[in-house]
Amino acid sequence: MKSRTVYAMGIAVLAIAVPMAARASLGGNLSSVQDDQAKLQGALQTTSKDSYSIQTPNGITVREFVSPSGTVFGVAWQGRSHPDLRQVLGAYYAQYVQAVQAQRAQRRGHGPLLIQQPGLVVQMAGHMRSLTGKAYVPQSLPPGVRAEEIQ
């Protein structure tokens, strides 16, 4: 039990200490979409004036939602595996890791993940080779946009 705690703390420290190769995605500006495309090595497609889709070579689709002010307020993904969450969640990755560790300490087993904090919401579900997820910053949702639209 003690080794698990030390291991979890080590992961959290590394997540905070390791510099990111590209700018943050979630919470980043519009140019972070191109950074993500390069890091994920995927093909970028504009799906609407405020939504971009990146198709990775290993079959993951990442969608990024940009506010009129040019800030990425939400991301969603689906595919055989999860994308590089450090890249997709950007500056929110450390908060995500801490929330996952807290949740795992309270419950055992597998199942959908729901992190619902004032500054970050993350939902992940699925089964082997068919995974989905989304993350958004509630206070950054543009007027008229509902969280359910991030998918």
Side-chain angles (χ1 to χ4, degrees):
M1 184 66 148
K2 186 176 180 179
S3 65
R4 281 187 177 181
T5 304
V6 172
Y7 178 74
M9 289 176 66
I11 289 175
V13 169
L14 282 174
I16 294 168
V18 175
M20 303 223 350
R23 280 187 266 182
S25 293
L26 185 61
N29 60 28
L30 183 57
S31 69
S32 72
V33 174
Q34 285 85 20
D35 292 341
D36 292 341
Q37 176 196 11
K39 178 72 176 175
L40 297 171
Q41 300 175 351
L44 180 65
Q45 178 182 9
T46 303
T47 54
S48 73
K49 67 177 182 161
D50 59 354
S51 177
Y52 301 87
S53 179
I54 301 169
Q55 181 69 44
T56 70
N58 57 350
I60 302 169
T61 301
V62 177
R63 288 173 300 287
E64 300 192 19
F65 300 85
V66 181
S67 70
S69 66
T71 302
V72 178
F73 63 87
V75 294
W77 59 89
Q78 66 183 34
R80 295 179 181 189
S81 63
H82 293 295
D84 178 356
L85 293 178
R86 182 183 306 273
Q87 179 67 33
V88 173
L89 298 178
Y92 292 90
Y93 182 75
Q95 184 178 349
Y96 159 77
V97 169
Q98 290 174 343
V100 167
Q101 290 171 350
Q103 233 181 52
R104 286 189 178 151
Q106 293 176 354
R107 71 176 190 149
R108 298 225 187 266
H110 302 284
L113 172 73
L114 175 59
I115 297 169
Q116 208 158 4
Q117 299 179 340
L120 177 66
V121 174
V122 180
Q123 299 172 353
M124 287 195 245
H127 52 83
M128 198 161 116
R129 300 184 68 142
S130 179
L131 301 171
T132 62
K134 72 178 181 178
Y136 62 93
V137 181
Q139 62 269 27
S140 296
L141 291 174
V145 175
R146 298 180 332 217
E148 295 80 26
E149 295 175 46
I150 301 170
Q151 47 179 302

